[in-house]
Amino acid sequence: MSADAPTSTIVPAPPGLPACAQVDLDAISDNVATLRDLAGRAEVMAVVKADAYGHGLLPAARAALRGGATWLGVAQLPEAVELRRAGIDVPVLSWLHVPGQDLTEAVQLGIDLSVSTQWALDAVATTARRLGATARIHLKVDTGLGRNGAWGDELDALAAAIGPLQAEGVLTLVGVFSHFAYADAPQHPTVKTQQERFDEVLADLARAGLEPQVRHLANSAATLTNPSAQYDLVRPGLAVYGLSPVPDLGAPDDYGLREAMRLVAHLSSVKPCPAGQGISYGHTYTTPADTLLGLVPMGYADGIPRNASSVGPALVGGRRLSIAGRVCMDQFVLDLGADYDGAAGDEVVLFGRGAAGEPTAQDWAAATATINYEIVTRVGARVPRVYLGAGSAAEGSA
């Protein structure tokens, strides 16, 4: 399902759907253009992992490329393969693999592969030799995050092994990269320490005769707040979709971004309810007065956090409400108030554009003690994506 409509204004959700996630492809393109301007001379890798943070892998990737991204990044190899099979031929980096994973198609399709362990380097080299091809790798360095990436003796061993493999022609060192632990807190001392360590590693590699084509360190937060971390390539993810990775420092519009996803539903019923009635499982909410109840056909099977019970925000008929009682698997209830003059079928905005006065993914994150990343990525597969803006007619709905 798609709609060709200006996306600078709010577009009502299509009637007849219990719920949908409207995805503004123009917002994604515009956000990438903003990030490209911030990146200076660095190129932009739009991170489209996890089904483009729930926005839809292929539609979001194409929108990001229209906005000026020249690279794409994913965590899982199947998404990289899907991008290639869809005809996307820009550099694509995949960075999270396991022993025994078949890398044949990745090497054949020219997908860039992250290497941070000896087994991974061996697997890439073995695959390339068998195919008579040259694999493209990025060396992942742990500069202090304490997660994925090589450090210490393992990093030294990998650096020593890459040179001979390049000379053999089985691989080329396309990139060297790392990841910040505290990029969302730009003044945290680890930011400077990690950047200094990254520079040291690059210098050590250069002395060993290893000169990558691109060096990359900056995620969304660093792209917005730390120009010194730009290097040759920046890797924004969350900001591509118009959400702020540093909500304590600024909202999306403070950085020239706008939210690309608007999660909406339609009331399936509106019914009168007396004062003193317990609502939903466990009766954790009791109506304080005679009122009208609105039933929203979304629940935790659709990605609505169960711990949003009694706190998750929603906008109905211009008024902002909180969920009444517990979130169920497929539905939750809103106390609409006795003076509500709407009816079944009315639109409910769970989150959308803060600048338009709608609840935001960040509001949901604050209400449920999580981060806005989780709110958008957890929107379930049975919630159709409805695409708006340039390219929407070709994308249909997921």
Side-chain angles (χ1 to χ4, degrees):
M1 187 174 305
S2 63
D4 288 316
T7 53
S8 58
T9 58
I10 299 298
V11 178
L17 292 177
C20 71
Q22 293 177 306
V23 178
D24 182 349
L25 299 176
D26 288 342
I28 293 175
S29 296
D30 292 346
N31 293 334
V32 170
T34 296
L35 294 163
R36 182 194 60 204
D37 290 342
L38 288 172
R41 286 179 286 184
E43 294 186 68
V44 174
M45 174 190 290
V47 176
V48 292
K49 65 178 181 176
D51 198 32
Y53 290 53
H55 293 68
L57 176 65
L58 295 178
R62 293 184 180 113
L65 295 175
R66 285 194 296 271
T70 53
W71 291 67
L72 296 172
V74 297
Q76 302 282 353
L77 187 54
E79 289 190 313
V81 172
E82 185 176 351
L83 291 168
R84 279 286 187 263
R85 288 177 175 171
I88 293 174
D89 59 3
V90 302
V92 176
L93 172 63
S94 173
W95 56 72
L96 199 57
H97 316 113
V98 296
Q101 192 164 7
D102 187 357
L103 303 179
T104 300
E105 197 167 17
V107 174
Q108 289 173 329
L109 294 174
I111 294 167
D112 292 18
L113 297 169
S114 171
V115 166
S116 60
T117 60
Q118 188 63 52
W119 73 257
L121 183 63
D122 293 344
V124 172
T126 298
T127 302
R129 284 194 193 99
R130 176 169 52 81
L131 295 173
T134 301
R136 294 166 56 90
I137 69 164
H138 293 233
L139 176 62
K140 177 69 181 289
V141 179
D142 191 334
T143 54
L145 175 59
R147 200 178 63 174
N148 186 28
W151 58 15
D153 292 343
E154 185 168 42
L155 176 58
D156 294 340
L158 286 173
I162 288 172
L165 292 172
Q166 281 204 123
E168 184 184 341
V170 298
L171 60 81
T172 182
L173 180 63
V174 177
V176 175
F177 72 118
S178 190
H179 197 56
F180 282 117
Y182 276 94
D184 56 347
Q187 302 307 314
H188 196 278
T190 60
V191 174
K192 181 180 179 182
T193 300
Q194 282 193 257
Q195 199 166 332
E196 290 173 345
R197 177 57 185 149
F198 189 58
D199 290 336
E200 290 171 359
V201 170
L202 291 171
D204 289 343
L205 292 173
R207 283 190 287 271
L210 298 177
E211 293 282 357
Q213 298 170 23
V214 292
R215 306 158 299 161
H216 45 112
L217 178 60
N219 57 2
S220 285
T223 301
L224 295 177
T225 66
N226 186 2
S228 68
Q230 290 170 352
Y231 294 92
D232 306 303
L233 185 66
V234 296
R235 300 190 313 267
L238 188 75
V240 167
Y241 310 101
L243 301 179
S244 174
V246 285
D248 293 340
L249 301 181
D253 53 316
D254 293 323
Y255 296 102
L257 307 172
R258 72 177 188 273
E259 297 95 331
M261 183 185 289
R262 187 169 178 263
L263 185 63
V264 297
H266 291 105
L267 292 175
S268 62
S269 74
V270 174
K271 69 181 182 182
C273 179
Q277 173 63 50
I279 303 299
S280 194
Y281 291 129
H283 284 183
T284 58
Y285 176 83
T286 301
T287 53
D290 291 353
T291 190
L292 293 170
L293 300 180
L295 189 65
V296 180
M298 295 190 76
Y300 53 79
D302 304 293
I304 306 301
R306 189 173 182 272
N307 69 338
S309 299
S310 296
V311 296
L315 187 71
V316 188
R319 63 178 67 181
R320 187 161 172 154
L321 305 170
S322 295
I323 292 172
R326 286 190 182 155
V327 174
C328 308
M329 184 180 292
D330 310 292
Q331 55 196 291
F332 63 83
V333 178
L334 294 173
D335 185 341
L336 299 171
D339 61 343
Y340 183 72
D341 62 358
D346 287 354
E347 184 175 273
V348 180
V349 181
L350 281 75
F351 61 76
R353 293 190 184 158
E358 296 179 331
T360 64
Q362 179 56 37
D363 292 335
W364 276 80
T368 57
T370 186
I371 55 176
N372 50 13
Y373 297 73
E374 182 179 355
I375 297 301
V376 292
T377 57
R378 70 183 296 157
V379 176
R382 75 175 178 182
V383 179
R385 273 57 171 176
V386 176
Y387 295 102
L388 307 172
S392 61
E395 298 299 350
S397 64

